[in-house]
Amino acid sequence: MSAMSVAPQKEAEGHIKETSQVSSSIATPATTIASTKLQFLTRKKKIVIFIMVGAASLALGLGLGIGLTRACPTGEEDSSSGFPSSTATPSASGTASADIIQPSVGTTWDYPLGFSLTTANANASTVFYPVDLENTSEDTIAALKSAGHTIVCYFSAGSYEDYRADADQFPASAIGNNLDGWPEQWLDIRNDQVRSIMAARIASAAAKGCVGVDADNIDGYTNDSGFDLTEADTVDYVRFLAQTAHDAGIAYGLKNAGGIVDQVVDVAEWAVNEECAEYEECADWAPFVEAGKPVFHVEYVEDDDATTVSAEKKAKACAADGQEGFSNIIKHYTLDDWVVYC
């Protein structure tokens, strides 16, 4: 077990509702922005984006390796929850269609889970953006895509969050221990109803127009989850999530879980990693780059009011051993609109 397997990891989970007014500016590699803290965001361990504006930028985006495969169906949505009913499953038919993307190694990204991303505050040169599935509207996703960005939907696939619209659908028997001091609980990823709920979330992502999913917290087997989860259970679950996404016509990205990279790199279109430089684990994700798939890597600064990064911190975050080819950024733990690009 690696060092990262026993240390807590910060991760923004309690995402905010979209607001009607947002900052019209965003940090660039040369500038930083003072951010507004909108809501309590949580952190955890070991857990996972495109196109410049203008005709020339769109041409570049096409060169970043977007591949074509199957059509993307819509899910049957439960209007009371904002998610499809957990009985809804991706279907081979549907009126909406999109091609499964394959981002290229080195694609630019940011992780805006701590603020409402809009066309007004998105960085024109940043391509890949994950956004919160439940709290981001279909209209916002469409507008961001029209502006040339690639938008994927974030949700927690391995933890129970009682504030989510579909929280009442989880069976009590599948809800386990707390996530090391954070207000959510591990899920039994082997449970059929848990998997049905996650299939419904993926169907919702496809219906909203997200071109992929960023499914978090799939590494309960390395934590005190309250269940006897194994590495094999996690590999099986990742393959289930990836197949469900692909059947819905959208892509899947692995989030953290470096110990199973070799076993699932074939079914994921990218990986999102948090703090592999801090824990000296970046080489674990090298198989993605070797397969021509990007690793979206973020390191964090402890001070959420920081507006600069020390040369030492930037060197470690941007050029750690095993990091060749990664898409590297530095963020506040709150995942607000402050970012430093490597």
Side-chain angles (χ1 to χ4, degrees):
M1 183 179 298
S2 64
M4 193 174 176
S5 300
V6 295
Q9 168 89 34
K10 289 185 181 176
E11 160 65 29
E13 290 281 336
H15 307 307
I16 56 167
K17 294 287 182 181
E18 289 188 35
T19 58
S20 60
Q21 295 186 7
V22 294
S23 166
S24 62
S25 60
I26 187 165
T28 67
T31 62
T32 55
I33 303 298
S35 62
T36 301
K37 291 185 179 132
L38 302 174
Q39 177 176 327
F40 172 74
L41 303 167
T42 62
R43 169 186 187 177
K44 52 182 90 61
K45 149 97 184 45
K46 208 167 170 142
I47 357 186
V48 157
I49 310 186
F50 288 7
I51 301 175
M52 298 180 183
V53 293
S57 301
L58 291 174
L60 174 61
L62 293 173
L64 288 175
I66 297 176
L68 309 181
T69 50
R70 56 185 84 94
C72 168
T74 58
E76 182 178 340
E77 187 166 305
D78 178 353
S79 59
S80 66
S81 70
F83 285 125
S85 162
S86 63
T87 59
T89 56
S91 126
S93 63
T95 57
S97 65
D99 298 313
I100 295 178
I101 64 165
Q102 177 52 72
S104 293
V105 171
T107 296
T108 56
W109 83 301
D110 192 6
Y111 217 11
L113 298 182
F115 68 99
S116 294
L117 185 71
T118 70
T119 54
N121 61 17
N123 190 331
S125 63
T126 298
V127 175
F128 193 95
Y129 279 115
V131 298
D132 187 273
L133 167 61
E134 185 175 4
N135 296 332
T136 309
S137 72
E138 184 175 347
D139 287 346
T140 295
I141 291 168
L144 287 163
K145 290 169 64 179
S146 293
H149 304 289
T150 294
I151 306 300
V152 303
C153 280
Y154 169 95
F155 64 91
S156 180
S159 72
Y160 172 77
E161 302 160 303
D162 63 7
Y163 55 87
R164 295 300 187 180
D166 56 2
D168 62 352
Q169 297 180 29
F170 290 91
S173 61
I175 301 173
N177 293 339
N178 289 336
L179 272 70
D180 195 19
W182 304 107
E184 51 193 289
Q185 297 161 278
W186 291 107
L187 289 170
D188 186 349
I189 58 175
R190 304 163 299 183
N191 181 274
D192 287 343
Q193 179 64 4
V194 168
R195 293 193 174 203
S196 179
I197 292 167
M198 298 310 161
R201 289 183 175 184
I202 290 170
S204 177
K208 279 190 166 187
C210 280
V211 298
V213 290
D214 175 26
D216 201 2
N217 302 317
I218 50 84
D219 56 350
Y221 81 100
T222 67
N223 294 270
D224 181 17
S225 67
F227 306 106
D228 57 346
L229 299 176
T230 66
E231 180 177 296
D233 292 330
T234 301
V235 170
D236 179 72
Y237 189 49
V238 166
R239 289 188 168 276
F240 160 77
L241 293 170
Q243 186 62 57
T244 303
H246 295 160
D247 287 348
I250 60 177
Y252 170 82
L254 178 69
K255 180 68 168 285
N256 293 312
I260 63 169
V261 165
D262 286 338
Q263 301 177 72
V264 298
V265 64
D266 60 314
V267 297
E269 279 67 56
W270 65 82
V272 172
N273 166 262
E274 294 173 299
E275 296 195 291
C276 71
E278 178 68 21
Y279 295 102
E280 300 181 349
E281 296 180 338
C282 292
D284 290 351
W285 280 266
F288 273 92
V289 176
E290 292 166 1
K293 302 176 180 183
V295 175
F296 298 113
H297 165 236
V298 57
E299 294 287 325
Y300 297 115
V301 293
E302 290 289 343
D303 182 2
D304 284 331
D305 293 319
T307 58
T308 60
V309 178
S310 69
E312 180 181 8
K313 174 69 175 181
K314 188 169 184 179
K316 181 175 183 179
C318 300
D321 289 343
Q323 211 175 317
E324 184 176 357
F326 287 15
S327 300
N328 304 304
I329 58 174
I330 303 170
K331 298 279 290 181
H332 293 148
Y333 276 116
T334 52
L335 297 178
D336 56 21
D337 59 352
W338 181 84
V339 60
V340 172
Y341 298 89
C342 292

